Amino acid sequence: MKETVLTIVPAVAIVIGLIVIGTTGIYAFTNDSGHTGVSPYLALAVFIPVVITGAVCTFVRMKVRGSLVCSLLAVLIGCGGIVLLIYLDRSNILLQYDVWLLRGMP
């Protein structure tokens, strides 16, 4: 039972993280204006739990002796999502409208 949970939970986190990365990436690169009404950093509400889930499952897996692939992949997907958000912000590809105006991008 414990083995199954330690595989399913990070797998679900991976899928959710990939969906959010995909939708954010598609929206960012199809959005011609470069700004949006919602802060892209709200996606951190998904990526941080994915990283935490992966880290906790990795820690438990080290104690239980099982495959770490799924848990480590969850950590990488969560960190990749965070890096994507930082990249979109720093390169001015997708900004919240208020931030976009403050940076002088009308």
Side-chain angles (χ1 to χ4, degrees), residues 41-87:
Y41 282 110
L42 287 176
L44 287 175
V46 172
F47 295 132
I48 291 175
V50 170
V51 171
I52 292 171
T53 300
V56 168
C57 288
T58 300
F59 179 73
V60 172
R61 278 283 192 184
M62 291 170 65
K63 300 286 184 191
V64 174
R65 295 276 187 199
S67 175
L68 295 172
V69 173
C70 204
S71 302
L72 291 175
L73 191 58
V75 173
L76 289 174
I77 296 293
C79 290
I82 294 169
V83 169
L84 173 67
L85 294 177
I86 294 169
Y87 169 73

Side-chain angles (χ1 to χ4, degrees), residues 41 84-95 103:
Y41 282 110
L84 173 67
L85 294 177
I86 294 169
Y87 169 73
L88 293 174
D89 180 58
R90 297 296 176 206
S91 62
N92 296 324
I93 293 175
L94 186 65
L95 302 171
R103 292 188 186 175

